[in-house]
Amino acid sequence: MTILGISAYYHDSAAVLIEDGKIVAAIEEERFSRIKHDNGFPHKAIDFCLKSRDLEIKDVDYVAYYEKPLLKFERILENFIATFPLSLQPFLKGMPEWLDYKIKIESSIRRLGFKNKIFFVPHHYSHASACFLNSSFKESAILTIDGVGEWQTTGLWKANNNKITPLKRIDFPNSLGLLYSTFTAHMGFKVNEDEYKLMGLAAYGKPIYADKIRSIVDIKPDGSFRLNLKYFGFREGFRMYNNRFEKIFGKARSKKERIVRRHADLAASVQSVTEDIYFKTLNHLFELTGSSNLCLSGGVALNALANGKIYKKTPFKNVYIFGAAGDSGAAVGAALYVNNVIMKKRRNQPQNLYLGSKYDNNAIEDALLRYNLKFIKYDSERKLIDRAAGLLSKGKIIGWFQGGCEFGPRALGNRSILSKPNPKSMKKKMNIIKRREQFRPFAGSILQSEVHKYFEVPEKNHQSPFMTFCFKVKKDKSSTLASIVHKDGTCRIQTVNHDNGRYFNLIKKFFELTKIACVMNTSFNLKGEPIVETPDQAIEDFLKTRMDALVLGDYVVIK
Amino acid sequence: MKKLFTFFRTLNNIFITAILTIFYFLIIGTISFFYRLFKHEDKNPMSFWKKVDQLKLDKSYFNSPY
Ligand SMILES: [Fe+2]
């Protein structure tokens, strides 16, 4: 059975193909359109998914869409009614878009030539399925939490085999995602894009505004909450906050304004309140389900700083967060829901996320020749790995482009820029290459077998394959990992094992050479760009920056 | 030709904006009046969690965009 999952028209549009329960292709539209977080209909992503399996749209049995568009439209309309007459501007901007295409998603899918059944899976069902059905758990508690779906913003669930049961929910406008985004906007960052900048900044501040935030958010002991809408602008306008909000938290930062202590304190405060709600909610979920397994999904579940504390602050023993926890991953969830729950097919094993486009040696060599670059081709993987690990051990920064590109927001070692995790100055060098703010931390990829020696993880050989958790760096390793330890002593980590193929071999060799089992890993892109998709884009970025070497498939280019 | 196209596009946009503005004030405004009259929120409940109906959702529910 072949199912095409689609997400579109909010942010991170994507397509995914599932064959007999196995995810065989998945990619975000932005990788092709080169528009970061592209929210258009994912024509190119769909095309890729079909072509990668030599299929045509008529070969697809079902299409699964990641939300119910008319239910969402109902929420939009009710919101205009509730905020009349302040919402005229968004009404005039939003209605033509809705009437023109957003409401007609079925026609857009039919225009592809698709004649079979379309399933519209409610948004939080899609999120819940994306995490649970990809996990190895037979039964689990689930928390879905994001900005907003149709109406729902938070969901508590329990799941057993092929059954996912909703227990409780919170609806728009009460949303933890939108609360976090409001502070993101107030900080001069982009909503739905720069929330992780706020998370990075939090480490530099003290949560001295937390009580003020609590004065505008009513939080109950069971984690449920209500926003005091007098202070928010997202319902009636284009601004997330309003003048009353600025009276409490000070004037919003303009994009180019220097970041000062007050901004860091605000970031720390909203992070602290977010964690308070998060852990109260999770403890309530545990009381409801009694399960020691937890699955998390939705944009808020990408808050790696909060995730790392789950093991200490809640009774959950095993936590699974799907790497594409945001809306692109909801396309996977919708397709799996159709396959496993509606069609009652057996669940598959958890998979890695190297599901995007691949380029063979011919395509890579053609690209290198087009750019007139001198390169070395390695016929054996061992020699290639020796060379790349050797460069890393000497403190060189390398662009690393291998196999299928990653699905989801994180580069997991197939489209990455890599370096040694020390000395501290490597962070500065890398931030210059990436053209991004110096306060932002970098992640580390570490051999899973060594992770407990470097980080305060809950157990030996702890697995965290998708960079969705931050853990404290052990004191005796903080100088070894100097360029990736954040101000608060934590680091976002990806554990790497045999499943990561060539990337695993690279880190293993680097470990042999340096006795350090970890490399600094950041996504292969420059500020404002999506992650590179083709060899040409990788070469362009390599030439534009101070990267020392580029490893494309079996080829190495040295600057 | 290009100028003519831009002119008609602008005219079209003005027309759509005018229709939508009238709709907003007449229809949305009227519904909003009754909406506020009848919409009541529980002032201070013990919890803001909403219970979910344990309905058995059939296939046709998932085929509908609503
Ligand atoms: Fe979502």
Side-chain angles (χ1 to χ4, degrees), chain A residues 123 127 146 327:
Chain A
H123 190 66
H127 275 314
D146 66 358
D327 279 2

Side-chain angles (χ1 to χ4, degrees), chain A residues 316-370:
Chain A
F316 289 108
K317 294 268 180 299
N318 312 298
V319 186
Y320 179 81
I321 304 173
F322 184 49
D327 279 2
S328 59
V332 174
L336 286 178
Y337 190 84
V338 172
N339 187 69
N340 300 129
V341 183
I342 299 178
M343 301 299 162
K344 299 187 171 67
K345 299 287 178 200
R346 257 186 45 182
R347 286 170 61 191
N348 237 298
Q349 291 300 307
Q351 288 181 243
N352 68 40
L353 290 173
Y354 304 128
L355 298 160
S357 44
K358 294 184 184 85
Y359 293 86
D360 60 17
N361 277 340
N362 289 339
I364 291 171
E365 192 166 323
D366 283 352
L368 289 167
L369 291 171
R370 269 198 299 281

Side-chain angles (χ1 to χ4, degrees), chain A residues 300-332:
Chain A
V300 179
L302 288 169
N303 193 316
L305 197 54
N307 294 339
K309 298 173 190 166
I310 291 175
Y311 294 97
K312 283 192 179 150
K313 304 257 182 179
T314 77
F316 289 108
K317 294 268 180 299
N318 312 298
V319 186
Y320 179 81
I321 304 173
F322 184 49
D327 279 2
S328 59
V332 174

Side-chain angles (χ1 to χ4, degrees), chain A residues 68 74 84 87 120 166 222 224, chain B residues 24 36 47 61-62 64 66:
Chain A
K68 285 190 167 282
E74 177 196 80
F84 178 88
S87 51
F120 296 91
D222 62 6
S224 62
Chain B
Y24 184 76
R36 274 166 215 193
S47 170
Y61 169 77
F62 292 100
S64 156
Y66 185 73

Side-chain angles (χ1 to χ4, degrees), chain A residues 2-35:
Chain A
T2 306
I3 302 171
L4 177 68
I6 296 175
S7 68
Y9 297 146
Y10 190 36
H11 50 89
D12 298 307
S13 298
V16 54
L17 198 71
I18 289 183
E19 281 178 356
D20 300 322
K22 193 171 182 310
I23 310 167
V24 291
I27 196 159
E28 285 94 348
E29 184 72 359
E30 64 159 28
R31 304 294 165 89
F32 299 111
S33 69
R34 310 310 293 159
I35 300 165

Side-chain angles (χ1 to χ4, degrees), chain A residues 491-535:
Chain A
C491 175
R492 188 155 50 84
I493 61 161
Q494 173 199 9
T495 57
V496 175
N497 60 28
H498 279 102
D499 298 340
N500 300 83
R502 194 172 267 190
Y503 191 44
F504 169 68
N505 294 333
L506 176 73
I507 302 176
K508 212 169 68 172
K509 184 69 198 177
F510 179 75
F511 183 38
E512 265 173 52
L513 294 176
T514 61
K515 303 283 167 273
I516 304 169
C518 182
V519 297
M520 173 152 85
N521 172 6
T522 183
S523 52
F524 201 147
N525 64 328
L526 306 185
K527 195 178 180 186
E529 283 176 0
I531 297 176
V532 296
E533 197 267 327
T534 64

